[in-house]
Amino acid sequence: MNNRIDILSLTFEEFSELLKKEFGKGDYHARALYRAIFKNGRRTFDDLEELKKSGDFSKQFADSLSFPPMEIDSELQDEVTKFVSKLGDGSLIESVIIPMNDYSTLCISSQVGCRMGCSFCKTGDMGFTRNLTTAEIIGQVMIAHHHYGADIRNIVFMGMGEPLDNLDAVIQSLKILTGQHGFDIPYKRITVSTSGLAEGIRELIRRDMTKVCLAISLNGAEDQLRRTIMPITNKYSLADLKDALKSYPLDKKGVFFVEYVLLKGVNDSDEDVQRIVAFCDGLAVVVNLIPYNGENFTRPGDDEVDQFRLKLVGHKLFVRVRTARGDDIAAACGQLAAERSN
Ligand code: SF4
């Protein structure tokens, strides 16, 4: 065959179709190969039981595969494992493995940089370079699984980039991640975090992708204030965002995660409590408060964070404070920027 198989960008159904067309092999072989690559991280197949009677097919097939050029550029391991991947064009992206009790959550990037320019965000400071391909998104999961041996059962699109600004590649990745012959991660264990691209949320609805969990990076619940922190508010007002959320069909027990990075003296007043309550009114939400951890703003003290939390709880909101290091990362997009960690 002339074209190589860009394997990490294919769903099982697409792969199966291609295998039939290029090699005349049916679903039996497709299942074995897809599982060997995605579940077991294999790149050679000589000893695969299912291929033993297939002559030199296993070699021909292995030679036809193409993987995105990605290598680990640096890593930092403590409570969590952060790894920076170097892409084919030299761009760097960061991913984080967060150990839970008996499995791991993986926080992945969807773009190199980000064009949303949120003022509290390291990635926003970098500006936008390019979208990741589907294979580069899936490549991060392959590295976490097969290089680090992590048992990844939760995925959060909360690394570098605005996932809904790279919708085609993100949607294709979701289909691959949830495919039962590959990673087989249920939609309810995958969260896409957005800065509030109302049109992107509507597009998820149009494309029937609403089984995935949504996190909204709110950080300001009144337009004027939010514009100063998150310029995307100029394009999509909070009313527009709420309108999009209201039309997003949630499961019976489903909720939206509302992420709120607390910036001392900026978005932590009593008035802000009222604004958050008003925004959340009529939506099923869990509010995650994240004390700011950076240099552009001041981080509120633990007592102030707790007071803020209690005021929200007083309005019958379910609120969590994310303080542990891994939780910080998993609770808000934009806390990552691919800095070399060694
Ligand atoms: S917070 Fe998210 S959307 Fe905003 S600049 Fe950072 S990565 Fe982009």
Side-chain angles (χ1 to χ4, degrees), residues 87 91-93 110-114 127-132 160:
L87 308 178
S91 295
L92 301 175
I93 54 163
S110 56
Q111 297 179 314
V112 181
C114 182
F128 176 73
T129 303
R130 69 171 175 86
N131 281 330
L132 295 189
M160 296 167 68

Side-chain angles (χ1 to χ4, degrees), residues 31-214:
R31 270 197 297 274
L33 289 165
Y34 201 79
R35 188 175 55 238
I37 295 164
F38 284 84
K39 279 224 147 157
N40 305 326
R42 300 266 298 260
R43 294 194 182 199
T44 59
F45 311 96
D46 296 337
D47 56 345
L48 212 61
E49 204 52 48
E50 290 89 338
L51 300 192
K52 288 233 162 110
K53 293 186 192 139
S54 297
D56 60 357
F57 164 67
S58 60
K59 183 168 178 339
Q60 268 178 33
F61 173 73
D63 288 346
S64 74
L65 290 180
S66 128
F67 290 86
M70 284 174 83
E71 58 185 58
I72 298 171
D73 183 78
S74 62
E75 63 181 10
L76 186 66
Q77 288 188 312
D78 45 34
E79 295 154 48
V80 302
T81 300
K82 284 191 195 187
F83 59 92
V84 174
S85 307
K86 189 176 193 173
L87 308 178
D89 62 357
S91 295
L92 301 175
I93 54 163
E94 194 164 290
S95 322
V96 186
I97 302 167
I98 304 151
M100 315 303 272
N101 283 342
D102 49 6
Y103 61 90
S104 292
T105 291
L106 178 66
C107 175
I108 54 177
S109 296
S110 56
Q111 297 179 314
V112 181
C114 182
R115 66 175 117 226
M116 299 303 141
C118 305
S119 58
F120 56 88
C121 168
K122 283 187 190 170
T123 308
D125 289 346
M126 291 171 61
F128 176 73
T129 303
R130 69 171 175 86
N131 281 330
L132 295 189
T133 63
T134 299
E136 288 166 339
I137 294 173
I138 298 296
Q140 297 168 69
V141 188
M142 294 292 279
I143 291 173
H145 243 299
H146 304 304
H147 177 82
Y148 290 103
D151 181 10
I152 304 295
R153 300 217 213 136
N154 279 334
I155 306 261
V156 292
F157 282 79
M158 292 183 178
M160 296 167 68
E162 162 58 66
L164 300 188
D165 189 36
N166 184 15
L167 207 55
D168 288 339
V170 167
I171 286 181
Q172 179 72 356
S173 308
L174 292 174
K175 290 179 180 168
I176 294 168
L177 291 170
T178 52
Q180 59 170 330
H181 298 294
F183 295 111
D184 197 14
I185 300 173
Y187 275 104
K188 65 179 180 203
R189 290 186 164 272
I190 305 179
T191 301
V192 169
S193 176
T194 177
S195 58
L197 269 68
E199 197 43 40
I201 295 171
R202 293 194 184 98
E203 190 59 23
L204 286 176
I205 299 170
R206 280 192 285 271
R207 297 205 207 173
D208 200 18
M209 294 301 294
T210 55
K211 279 185 279 176
V212 73
C213 302
L214 271 192

